[in-house]
Amino acid sequence: MGDWRTITVPIPSSESKNISQFTSEANMSPSNLYSQQILCASLPLAKNVHNFFRAFCTEENVDQSISYLDQEQLETSRREMIGLQERDRQLQGKNRNLHQLLKNEKDEVQKLQNIISSRATQYNHDMKRKEREYNKLKERLHQLVMNKKDKKTAMDILNCVGRADGKRGAWRTGKTEARNEEEMYKILLSDYEQRQKQILLENAELKKVLQQMKKEMISLLTPQKQKPKEKAEDSSGTVLSDVEEDTSELSKENMWELSCETVREQLTNSIRKQWRILKSHVEKLDNQVSRVHLRGFKDEEVISRQDHEQETEKLELEIQQCKEMIQTQQQLLQQFTACDDDTSSLLQDCYLLEEKERLEEEWALFKEQKKNFDKERRSFTEAAIRLGLERQAFEEDRAGWLKQQFLTMTSFDHKNSENGKPQSAFSESSDQDNLTLHSEPSVCTSKITKSLPASPSTSELFQTVQHISENRKTRNIHQSTKFAW
Amino acid sequence: MNFSEVFKLSNQLSKFSPNGKFLASCVQYRLVVRDVSTLQVLQLYTCLDQIQHLEWSADSLFILCAMYKRGLVQVWSLEQPEWHCKIDEGSAGLVASCWSPDGRHILNTTEFHLRITVWSLCTKSVSYIKYPKACQQGISFTKDGRYMALAERRDCKDFISLFVCSDWQLLRHFDTDTQDLAGIEWAPNGCVLAAWDSCLEYKVLLYSLDGRLLSTYSAYEWSLGIKTIAWSPSSQFLAIGSYDEKVRILNHVTWKMITDFGHTTTINNPKIVVYKETEKSQNLEMENLPFPPTKAAASSLFNTESKYEVVSTPVSLQTSKPVTDRPNPKIGIGILAFSPDNCFLATRNDNIPNAVWIWDIQKLKLFVVLEHLSAVRSFQWDPQQARLAMCTGRSQVYLWSRAGCVAVQVPVEGDFQVLSLCWHLSGESMALLSKDQLCLCYLENEGVK
């Protein structure tokens, strides 16, 4: 609730408004006021209500009395009070101003008095001095009058000195006077001529500067012609015409170096024109800038502003989307990283297991392949051994058969014709055998090489087969040699 | 810097010859002429009475000695020491005496300014000029010595007469619109004459050589007006120092004020360099002081050396409040001097008597302020360069140039209070004058621009 400072219940008059001349400085809570507003009647109070109020309003039930106040009247009274306060302030201000004025006037009066007094002292002093001089004069005059036979003013000089310039002194005549006048005027004239030269130089420099300025201003303004502004078109038009005028002027000026009134006026006028145009242009720009800062603007700006706004909206959307994406990603990441240690380790294990399994599979595959390769190798080596053995056996058989044949051939030496064919047949067959033998290992080798291209065992195999075939060859050779003789 | 020995002097009368070779000084009624480089006494003349005024002729051949009490002027020749000339004004009396620019005529102003007598040394003839004005600066010669302007007053009205110095012909005679003409001065170019009214009225009149009024300038009325005036060496500017503590600069084209320099008691602008003279601390050995104290010891006690120190702004200067109910108050611009290269103007505001203000004329701004411990008595620019020499009555001479400033103690036994100074025309040496002594100071110009 509030603090009460003063409570004065007004003496009621016939006016119902006076009820509001109730001065109190109560700070009431808004809720309280509201409730009170609800409670209070909006009807104007009658006289009897005043009396009733007077009787009614004591310190204890001030709150209740307030509820009976008419809010409207309170408002009007408040307004009146504010008005009166304002007037009071104004009057105080006026009072202060008047005081200040009074003070200024007093100061000035004091100053003037000081001046007057100092002047007066100076006057008095001068007057006194004059009086003293006057007195001295009087005395001296008196003396002179008394001493007529006083020392005469005289110059006592040993000998006359020659003139400084060595010439003889001349009598003062009319001629000399005229000459002096002439000389004086000559001096003055030369001084004026010198000054005029200086001024001309300055003038020329200033003119140059002005023309330069004008050119620069024109160059500044002509690019504006491209913008569709009504006034600018006019100005550019005038600019162009000015440029034409001015260039002709310029050329004129440069040629003749005129400094007459009209040329000067033209130059200054054209510069003023340009300057005005430039100024108006700058002012326009300023206005535009200020308008852009505020609310209202031209049609062109509307579009650009709208575009601008759209662009900004788009960008904002984009930003929003990106943000959302980042958020979701963050969430996901968090999901991953936000689990307990067990699950994470488990997850990790799962990954490892997966990999392990994959690796094991591959390993198994590899092992299988290896096994297959080994099997094949073994089978091949076995085959090669078998083949070797068979060949050995075959060779032995052949050797035996050949022996037998030989033996039979020798026994049949008598019967050469019959053995001729078998010999040749035998040689043929031996050749064939050789051939076949040659071909076999090659076939074998080719077979072998075809099936197992690159395993080391294969190469070993090949070597052994070669060796065997070489043995066979040698044997054959031996045998053949045997047979040859 | 070298200092010569001290010579006797009376009335602070010591002048360099216009050709810079000789130095004339007065001791009571003797005139001593020395050679500037050796300081040897070349001539010694004896006058009839105490000399009040000393002046060299323009060709450095003659010296004029005026004795006002006796009404005598004696002229001495340097070339011929035995030559003598004595001019006796007799009952007319003598208040002022000066040479004409040709060095052959002497203008004596008689007592009460009754007349000016023009004595010719060539022809022994005499001319009279009536009604000269008794004012601060009533006679002015043009720089080339052709013309003389004279202020006159007849029937309570002021006039100016222009004379041709060669034959003393009256060229022009015109009245001036002044209440009480206080002074006239030719511009260095000899074509414009400035005339100003007394301090009761602020008015400057500018006349052309042929007597036409070119322009009038008045800054304000009622308050005390012009105190000093100075032309710039190029005749471009006329500086007017007034009692309102301001210097107004007029330009020679329009004769209108282009700016005014105010002399305030506080300096706030940080761009202005303020030098303050501060005393060097001395180590006094109290035990070894002799009793009774010798003169040297006493002077060394009281003559503390000082030096310049740069003080940062804001600076508040020492002012002396003038007594307003006395005439000729010590307020306003008392001394004005342009530097020979037109770049600077040095001023003294009489109610800030310790400070010398140096204004940059090219920028029309305050450049430097030098504040001293005692009141500045006089200052003078070096005739060859922008170097200012100042004295304040202490036994030091102060120098300022663009390169810096320095306070130099005059190394003389005893007390040497520098009351005024005077530059040699070459700018290589300077005469320092005290009440009864003269000392020459030689400057080495190698290091100074």
Side-chain angles (χ1 to χ4, degrees):
Chain A
M1 265 299 290
D3 310 317
W4 293 97
R5 309 261 172 83
T6 53
I7 303 161
T8 56
V9 181
I11 296 164
S13 64
S14 54
E15 293 257 37
S16 55
K17 281 184 190 172
N18 291 342
I19 197 74
S20 49
Q21 287 169 8
F22 183 82
T23 55
S24 70
E25 292 173 41
N27 304 325
M28 287 194 275
S29 59
S31 56
N32 216 346
L33 259 173
Y34 180 69
S35 57
Q36 287 180 358
Q37 276 174 8
I38 292 167
L39 285 170
C40 78
S42 55
L43 295 164
L45 294 168
K47 202 174 181 182
N48 44 1
V49 180
H50 290 295
N51 296 328
F52 172 66
F53 201 68
R54 192 166 34 158
F56 182 61
C57 186
T58 57
E59 279 191 23
E60 285 90 51
N61 45 21
V62 166
D63 308 327
Q64 285 181 312
S65 2
I66 284 172
S67 66
Y68 284 103
L69 274 176
D70 190 6
Q71 293 301 314
E72 208 182 290
Q73 289 182 348
L74 193 67
E75 276 306 311
T76 48
S77 64
R78 276 212 192 104
R79 260 183 264 133
E80 264 189 59
M81 198 168 68
I82 289 165
L84 286 168
Q85 277 180 349
E86 191 60 49
R87 243 178 57 193
D88 183 34
R89 243 179 276 136
Q90 279 178 4
L91 287 169
Q92 278 189 358
K94 270 192 205 163
N95 194 21
R96 261 181 268 127
N97 286 344
L98 287 169
H99 272 295
Q100 190 63 38
L101 280 171
L102 183 66
K103 193 166 150 258
N104 291 347
E105 290 299 319
K106 278 192 183 161
D107 285 4
E108 192 152 348
V109 163
Q110 190 63 42
K111 207 171 78 176
L112 284 169
Q113 279 181 342
N114 288 344
I115 288 168
I116 288 165
S117 63
S118 69
R119 285 182 79 87
T121 9
Q122 197 80 23
Y123 276 132
N124 292 338
H125 171 78
D126 279 357
M127 284 300 288
K128 279 190 197 151
R129 199 157 42 94
K130 284 195 160 65
E131 229 191 287
R132 271 182 251 129
E133 230 186 292
Y134 176 67
N135 290 335
K136 268 199 222 166
L137 261 171
K138 274 206 293 188
E139 265 195 61
R140 177 52 71 97
L141 203 60
H142 185 72
Q143 267 184 18
L144 275 172
V145 163
M146 300 310 283
N147 291 342
K148 273 189 186 162
K149 283 185 184 168
D150 200 2
K151 262 191 294 178
K152 269 202 178 167
T153 59
M155 181 157 88
D156 169 28
I157 192 166
L158 185 68
N159 54 289
C160 291
V161 187
R163 276 167 61 100
D165 50 4
K167 290 188 204 151
R168 253 197 261 167
W171 292 108
R172 213 195 295 176
T173 58
K175 235 198 211 173
T176 55
E177 280 179 20
R179 220 181 333 118
N180 284 332
E181 286 267 343
E182 215 184 283
E183 262 196 61
M184 175 194 81
Y185 282 122
K186 269 192 208 162
I187 289 168
L188 271 176
L189 270 172
S190 64
D191 179 61
Y192 279 128
E193 270 172 18
Q194 201 190 28
R195 267 207 273 161
Q196 204 208 8
K197 269 188 219 161
Q198 281 178 356
I199 287 170
L200 272 174
L201 275 170
E202 227 186 289
N203 232 14
E205 274 183 44
L206 286 168
K207 262 194 215 162
K208 264 191 233 162
V209 169
L210 277 173
Q211 278 170 3
Q212 215 180 17
M213 262 175 64
K214 198 175 72 170
K215 275 188 211 157
E216 280 176 20
M217 277 200 275
I218 288 165
S219 66
L220 264 177
L221 289 167
T222 39
Q224 301 308 318
K225 199 181 148 204
Q226 292 162 13
K227 276 199 181 175
K229 287 182 187 169
E230 317 96 52
K231 286 186 194 171
E233 274 177 14
D234 288 347
S235 64
S236 61
T238 51
V239 162
L240 281 176
S241 63
D242 263 344
V243 169
E244 284 166 21
E245 275 176 35
D246 293 335
T247 46
S248 60
E249 273 171 35
L250 276 170
S251 56
K252 265 193 233 163
E253 275 194 59
N254 288 337
M255 281 183 68
W256 302 104
E257 285 191 359
L258 291 167
S259 60
C260 67
E261 185 88 19
T262 44
V263 169
R264 199 168 16 100
E265 261 185 52
Q266 276 176 350
L267 177 63
T268 47
N269 284 341
S270 62
I271 287 210
R272 279 207 200 103
K273 227 193 291 181
Q274 296 302 325
W275 181 247
R276 258 182 265 132
I277 293 163
L278 190 69
K279 208 168 75 164
S280 63
H281 184 64
V282 169
E283 275 169 9
K284 261 186 243 158
L285 284 171
D286 272 337
N287 286 340
Q288 277 178 12
V289 167
S290 60
R291 265 181 270 155
V292 163
H293 283 309
L294 303 169
R295 286 177 292 108
F297 35 72
K298 278 186 187 173
D299 288 326
E300 304 156 79
E301 274 71 24
V302 171
I303 297 163
S304 64
R305 195 186 161 99
Q306 275 188 352
D307 280 342
H308 180 74
E309 278 184 352
Q310 277 175 8
E311 282 282 334
T312 47
E313 275 176 28
K314 260 192 254 168
L315 287 167
E316 273 175 20
L317 265 171
E318 266 188 62
I319 290 168
Q320 197 65 36
Q321 283 170 1
C322 290
K323 275 192 189 161
E324 280 168 17
M325 248 196 336
I326 291 166
Q327 271 185 354
T328 47
Q329 283 189 352
Q330 245 185 351
Q331 277 174 9
L332 286 169
L333 261 173
Q334 272 184 351
Q335 276 179 11
F336 279 120
T337 54
C339 342
D340 326 320
D341 289 334
D342 290 347
T343 48
S344 63
S345 62
L346 195 70
L347 275 170
Q348 278 182 350
D349 281 348
C350 288
Y351 285 132
L352 282 169
L353 268 172
E354 216 184 290
E355 271 202 59
K356 234 197 221 174
E357 274 178 25
R358 237 189 301 127
L359 280 169
E360 275 176 5
E361 270 176 45
E362 280 182 15
W363 193 252
L365 200 73
F366 179 67
K367 275 191 188 162
E368 240 189 79
Q369 280 184 351
K370 203 172 164 195
K371 261 193 246 168
N372 289 340
F373 286 141
D374 283 337
K375 251 196 246 171
E376 276 182 38
R377 207 188 318 135
R378 259 182 273 129
S379 61
F380 278 129
T381 46
E382 275 176 20
I385 291 164
R386 251 187 288 122
L387 196 66
L389 283 170
E390 274 180 15
R391 207 172 282 145
Q392 215 178 11
F394 175 70
E395 289 298 323
E396 280 174 9
D397 280 341
R398 200 156 67 101
W401 188 73
L402 281 171
K403 246 189 216 171
Q404 213 182 15
Q405 278 278 320
F406 188 61
L407 286 167
T408 52
M409 264 177 73
T410 48
S411 64
F412 286 125
D413 235 352
H414 318 294
K415 301 168 188 175
N416 278 339
S417 58
E418 287 178 282
N419 295 336
K421 285 185 190 174
Q423 227 184 3
S424 60
F426 174 68
S427 61
E428 279 183 324
S429 66
S430 65
D431 287 328
Q432 278 180 357
D433 284 331
N434 287 338
L435 282 169
T436 53
L437 268 173
H438 282 295
S439 65
E440 266 178 32
S442 63
V443 168
C444 268
T445 53
S446 65
K447 268 192 196 165
I448 290 162
T449 50
K450 272 183 191 169
S451 61
L452 288 172
S455 57
S457 49
T458 331
S459 59
E460 284 173 25
L461 206 74
F462 187 58
Q463 276 172 17
T464 50
V465 165
Q466 261 192 338
H467 189 65
I468 292 164
S469 63
E470 273 178 15
N471 286 338
R472 287 275 164 267
K473 273 190 205 168
T474 51
R475 251 194 232 166
N476 287 341
I477 290 164
H478 282 304
Q479 285 168 358
S480 58
T481 51
K482 270 186 204 170
F483 289 123
W485 54 275
Chain B
M1 270 170 86
N2 291 325
F3 288 86
S4 72
E5 61 180 276
V6 172
F7 304 109
K8 270 209 176 142
L9 190 74
S10 60
N11 280 349
Q12 295 179 47
L13 287 170
S14 175
K15 298 237 172 96
F16 285 105
S17 67
N19 62 5
K21 288 193 196 156
F22 312 108
L23 174 69
S25 55
C26 292
V27 186
Q28 296 290 312
Y29 52 94
R30 279 204 203 93
L31 174 68
V32 183
V33 179
R34 289 172 208 272
D35 179 72
V36 161
S37 40
T38 61
L39 290 180
Q40 256 191 349
V41 176
L42 294 172
Q43 300 288 349
L44 186 66
Y45 306 101
T46 313
C47 294
L48 295 167
D49 194 17
Q50 214 180 41
I51 304 167
Q52 265 98 41
H53 179 69
L54 174 70
E55 197 174 324
W56 283 91
S57 69
D59 53 6
S60 309
L61 292 174
F62 298 99
I63 304 172
L64 170 162
C65 301
M67 293 143 267
Y68 298 146
K69 283 185 209 151
R70 289 274 296 270
L72 284 172
V73 174
Q74 276 184 287
V75 187
W76 303 101
S77 161
L78 224 60
E79 286 179 325
Q80 300 173 352
E82 64 279 0
W83 187 88
H84 63 269
C85 172
K86 184 176 80 172
I87 297 167
D88 191 348
E89 284 292 337
S91 47
L94 187 67
V95 290
S97 180
C98 65
W99 281 103
S100 73
D102 62 355
R104 297 291 178 270
H105 295 84
I106 291 174
L107 286 90
N108 284 344
T109 312
T110 59
E111 214 166 352
F112 308 121
H113 283 80
L114 283 175
R115 62 164 192 252
I116 290 181
T117 331
V118 185
W119 299 89
S120 166
L121 292 176
C122 312
T123 63
K124 268 188 169 182
S125 63
V126 184
S127 321
Y128 298 102
I129 303 173
K130 280 164 106 185
Y131 311 114
K133 177 108 200 252
C135 59
Q136 186 188 0
Q137 202 172 316
I139 301 179
S140 179
F141 292 100
T142 55
K143 202 166 165 189
D144 55 7
R146 271 178 204 261
Y147 303 102
M148 178 181 90
L150 179 71
E152 297 177 5
R153 192 169 176 98
R154 259 176 245 243
D155 305 322
C156 304
K157 266 211 275 187
D158 292 315
F159 294 89
I160 290 178
S161 294
L162 299 178
F163 291 94
V164 182
C165 290
S166 51
D167 56 5
W168 300 110
Q169 180 211 330
L170 176 66
L171 194 65
R172 286 288 185 277
H173 180 80
F174 49 90
D175 68 325
T176 62
D177 183 22
T178 53
Q179 293 284 331
D180 184 13
L181 187 60
I184 49 176
E185 191 168 331
W186 284 105
N189 65 3
C191 296
V192 182
L193 180 72
W196 61 95
D197 211 335
S198 76
C199 58
L200 287 170
E201 182 149 348
Y202 194 124
K203 199 188 253 181
V204 172
L205 298 143
L206 292 138
Y207 292 96
S208 159
L209 176 60
D210 58 348
R212 286 174 301 123
L213 174 67
L214 294 170
S215 179
T216 313
Y217 178 73
S218 172
Y220 52 81
E221 55 178 3
W222 300 128
S223 300
L224 289 178
I226 299 170
K227 200 164 184 185
T228 47
I229 275 195
W231 281 99
S232 75
S234 61
S235 311
Q236 274 179 307
F237 301 112
L238 179 66
I240 306 169
S242 48
Y243 281 89
D244 68 343
E245 304 177 51
K246 280 193 187 171
V247 176
R248 288 174 177 82
I249 309 274
L250 305 188
N251 78 89
H252 74 306
V253 178
T254 60
W255 300 116
K256 296 236 184 326
M257 182 184 90
I258 50 173
T259 187
D260 61 4
F261 297 145
H263 295 67
T264 53
T265 48
T266 50
I267 298 159
N268 291 316
N269 189 344
K271 286 188 193 167
I272 296 164
V273 183
V274 180
Y275 294 101
K276 197 168 167 142
E277 186 192 358
T278 48
E279 285 192 0
K280 288 188 202 168
S281 56
Q282 280 209 340
N283 300 322
L284 290 173
E285 293 173 353
M286 298 305 285
E287 298 90 32
N288 294 342
L289 284 175
F291 189 82
T294 59
K295 194 179 177 199
S299 65
S300 68
L301 252 182
F302 292 114
N303 237 357
T304 51
E305 276 195 36
S306 59
K307 60 181 165 69
Y308 278 119
E309 263 182 14
V310 181
V311 179
S312 58
T313 54
V315 176
S316 131
L317 301 165
Q318 201 185 349
T319 60
S320 74
K321 198 140 185 222
V323 187
T324 46
D325 60 347
R326 289 264 182 89
N328 304 319
K330 278 200 165 53
I331 192 171
I333 311 303
I335 315 178
L336 273 179
F338 275 97
S339 70
D341 58 359
N342 286 299
C343 290
F344 298 107
L345 173 68
T347 63
R348 185 190 74 176
N349 187 4
D350 291 349
N351 55 323
I352 308 175
N354 296 6
V356 175
W357 307 64
I358 297 177
W359 305 82
D360 187 338
I361 294 299
Q362 287 173 322
K363 295 184 193 155
L364 293 176
K365 275 197 238 176
L366 180 60
F367 191 49
V368 167
V369 177
L370 298 125
E371 197 187 4
H372 305 90
L373 293 166
S374 326
V376 174
R377 291 189 71 99
S378 81
F379 52 75
Q380 201 183 34
W381 286 100
D382 181 335
Q384 300 296 327
Q385 55 179 292
R387 184 162 58 164
L388 185 68
M390 299 159 274
C391 62
T392 63
R394 292 169 74 97
S395 62
Q396 278 167 307
V397 65
Y398 305 89
L399 284 165
W400 175 86
S401 74
R402 271 197 201 85
C405 57
V406 70
V408 185
Q409 176 87 2
V410 179
V412 162
E413 224 188 77
D415 203 12
F416 188 96
Q417 288 176 331
V418 185
L419 297 176
S420 73
L421 48 83
C422 161
W423 281 96
H424 185 260
L425 81 98
S426 66
E428 282 171 17
S429 60
M430 190 161 48
L432 305 169
L433 314 174
S434 79
K435 199 173 117 197
D436 48 11
Q437 281 173 323
L438 158 73
C439 174
L440 245 81
C441 160
Y442 296 92
L443 295 111
E444 287 146 13
N445 280 334
E446 293 102 11
V448 185
K449 260 196 181 172

